[in-house]
Amino acid sequence: MTWALVWEHLFIVLAASILSIVIGLPLGILAYTYPKTRAVILRVVDVLQTIPALALLGIIMVVLSPGKLTVITGITLYSLLPVVRNTCLGLQEVDPGVKEAARGMGMSKAYRTLVVEFPLAFPTVFTGIRIAVVNAIGTAVFAAFVGGGGLGSVINRGIRIQDMGLILSGTGALMVISVLLDLLMGWFEKNVKKHGGGAKTMWIPVAAILAAFIALLPYGIKPVGTGELLLYDGDYSETQLMHHMVKMLVEDRTDLTVTIQDQMSQVNNFKALIGDSHTCDLMISYDGTLLTTFLQMDTADVPEGMSIYDFANQTAKERYSLCLLEKLGFDNTYAIAVTQDTAQHYAVETVSDLIPIAGELVFGAEHEFFTQEGSMKYGPFVQFYGLTFKDEMSVDVSLKYAAAEKGSFDVTEVYATDGLNRKAGLKVLEDDQNFFPDYNGAFLVREDTFERFADADLAGILNLLAGQIANDDMVEMTYQVDVQKRTIDEVAREFLISRGLLSI
């Protein structure tokens, strides 16, 4: 964990808090001023609050691109309820005598609401703002799921590789931020209530929030130069290793700057790669993923005599002007694995060996494997092999290996090159009926990227890695990162040096 992630997290919280105040205060005043609109406004913000934060971000991401804008928009909507309700409530609680006196002085409705009543209601309004800010600190953890950055990436990684130090450092940082901000706002709220609000008092927190926001701008809005090659960091060590190798190779052999942005899942990264409003230039992908997940096709769509790699590459060029570079050497296909106890008790070697005993076993995997997105999922898999398991368990991908080690299930789906397979003591079974297609690793690049950097020979530089990384190499590298706790850059650089692609 770095200070940059802490500041980035704070930027997201402050940006969302400012927007929720800018939107929430007028809505609260509107709900108070026009009783007929009150029920509608309060019902809408109530409904927004009931939507799970991650689901809300997913809905927003359909409209907006993955990244900080999606996160800030989601947290803003999630934070409206306390701001709107407390604004309306505070104005309702202003002494009726004060309201009548202002009316008697000939003040207009709008003038007395903003100039007389709102300053008096400010202590209650500020309580709502305080609640919204503190809640936003925790909600911003979900930014990691949509490429928004922040401390959520630290916690997610810690859960996945079962690193208690990472989990505690990320959680501890969130707790410290929450407590400090809450104490500061609590102290201010106490003084505001003591002095009964006031117009001058209102501007103090506004100035403080704006000043902090401006100070954190460099961590939230990072200017991108025209000569920069843009990538996203992955949410798995394998993706991170390959993207950091790109940065090292390109910067070593050209004058280009390679910028690795926030963590992003494969699906979201692909969405950020395509279209005119793209926010990255290339990503590590797999021919099987490109075919079944990104292009929404099936292995049956591949013409006879044509490989998955060639067909997916051809189709990606036609649809999105993307191309796969040469295969890197590793095949990170789906694989079926069993726990050591299951392997020893039933002596299974192939997936077909599970057929007669499946009724005694529990199958567990991450949520994504049970979805209908792509054909290489649980439903088609069990139908193809004729498997009927005793039960099936869907867990978060971050918890899958921990659940397997604790014996929560007997059989699971894994990636062939994941070093955590070794740590969890899982035995990978042979896919003897060849259900799962190849998932050959290769860089997926926008064709216009080669045009933008025509003098750099990017294809030639990146293809230096072609055929260099065997499955065992990737297993070893991910094992070193996830289990032995070595850094991504350290492992990536060491591998490039070992292949003579980078000087010491």
Side-chain angles (χ1 to χ4, degrees), residues 257-329:
T257 297
V258 179
T259 299
I260 299 179
Q261 304 170 96
D262 298 316
Q263 287 190 12
M264 187 82 78
S265 68
Q266 279 270 306
V267 172
N268 289 334
N269 199 344
F270 181 76
K271 292 176 181 177
L273 183 66
I274 60 177
D276 294 334
S277 59
H278 65 96
T279 54
C280 70
D281 299 306
L282 66 90
M283 64 181 287
I284 180 65
S285 190
Y286 311 87
D287 51 5
T289 300
L290 179 58
L291 176 74
T292 62
T293 302
F294 300 157
L295 299 176
Q296 295 291 304
M297 303 180 80
D298 193 84
T299 51
D301 297 315
V302 180
E304 188 175 350
M306 198 173 189
S307 67
I308 291 175
Y309 172 89
D310 290 332
F311 180 69
N313 194 15
Q314 174 183 298
T315 308
K317 286 182 180 181
E318 294 171 353
R319 289 191 190 179
Y320 301 112
S321 295
L322 304 175
C323 70
L324 286 170
L325 296 186
E326 295 180 31
K327 299 175 187 177
L328 295 164

Side-chain angles (χ1 to χ4, degrees), residues 10-26:
L10 273 172
F11 169 83
I12 294 170
V13 170
L14 288 177
S17 299
I18 290 171
L19 282 176
S20 65
I21 292 169
V22 170
I23 298 171
L25 293 184

Side-chain angles (χ1 to χ4, degrees), residues 340-349 353-354 357 360-361 410:
Q340 282 293 331
D341 288 344
T342 303
Q344 293 172 5
H345 188 267
Y346 294 101
V348 289
E349 298 290 338
D353 291 338
L354 295 174
I357 60 172
E360 305 172 38
L361 306 175
D410 311 295

Side-chain angles (χ1 to χ4, degrees), residues 297-480:
M297 303 180 80
D298 193 84
T299 51
D301 297 315
V302 180
E304 188 175 350
M306 198 173 189
S307 67
I308 291 175
Y309 172 89
D310 290 332
F311 180 69
N313 194 15
Q314 174 183 298
T315 308
K317 286 182 180 181
E318 294 171 353
R319 289 191 190 179
Y320 301 112
S321 295
L322 304 175
C323 70
L324 286 170
L325 296 186
E326 295 180 31
K327 299 175 187 177
L328 295 164
F330 58 94
D331 177 12
N332 191 15
T333 185
Y334 281 120
I336 302 301
V338 296
T339 61
Q340 282 293 331
D341 288 344
T342 303
Q344 293 172 5
H345 188 267
Y346 294 101
V348 289
E349 298 290 338
T350 68
V351 177
S352 292
D353 291 338
L354 295 174
I355 296 173
I357 60 172
E360 305 172 38
L361 306 175
V362 175
F363 187 99
E366 65 266 25
H367 307 307
E368 185 183 357
F369 192 64
F370 290 100
T371 66
Q372 301 301 314
E373 188 179 47
S375 58
M376 298 299 110
K377 303 297 181 180
Y378 179 76
F381 162 67
V382 294
Q383 183 178 6
F384 179 86
Y385 268 100
L387 294 166
T388 304
F389 288 100
K390 176 182 176 182
D391 198 4
E392 57 194 52
M393 178 185 296
S394 177
V395 298
D396 187 85
V397 64
S398 302
L399 301 173
K400 181 173 71 173
Y401 286 100
E405 287 189 72
K406 292 176 181 178
S408 298
F409 44 74
D410 311 295
V411 188
T412 187
E413 153 274 331
V414 297
Y415 298 113
T417 57
D418 197 334
L420 290 176
N421 297 336
R422 185 194 301 178
K423 179 180 182 294
L426 297 174
K427 179 175 181 176
V428 178
L429 304 181
E430 178 189 350
D431 181 15
D432 53 308
Q433 295 187 38
N434 300 311
F435 171 74
F436 294 113
D438 295 334
Y439 281 80
N440 295 297
F443 292 117
L444 185 62
V445 190
R446 290 180 59 91
E447 291 189 319
D448 59 9
T449 299
F450 299 125
E451 298 170 8
R452 286 171 49 217
F453 304 111
D455 297 334
D457 187 24
L458 283 177
I461 293 172
L462 296 178
N463 279 333
L464 291 172
L465 284 166
Q468 294 278 5
I469 310 173
N471 274 18
D472 288 343
D473 295 325
M474 186 56 75
V475 169
E476 180 60 32
M477 285 192 285
T478 55
Y479 184 82
Q480 289 183 34

Side-chain angles (χ1 to χ4, degrees), residues 109-142:
K109 189 173 185 179
Y111 185 84
R112 67 172 180 265
T113 299
L114 295 176
V115 178
V116 178
E117 298 175 26
F118 187 79
L120 294 174
F122 186 69
T124 302
V125 174
F126 187 76
T127 300
I129 294 173
R130 177 185 177 186
I131 294 170
V133 172
V134 174
N135 286 345
I137 295 170
T139 308
V141 168
F142 294 106

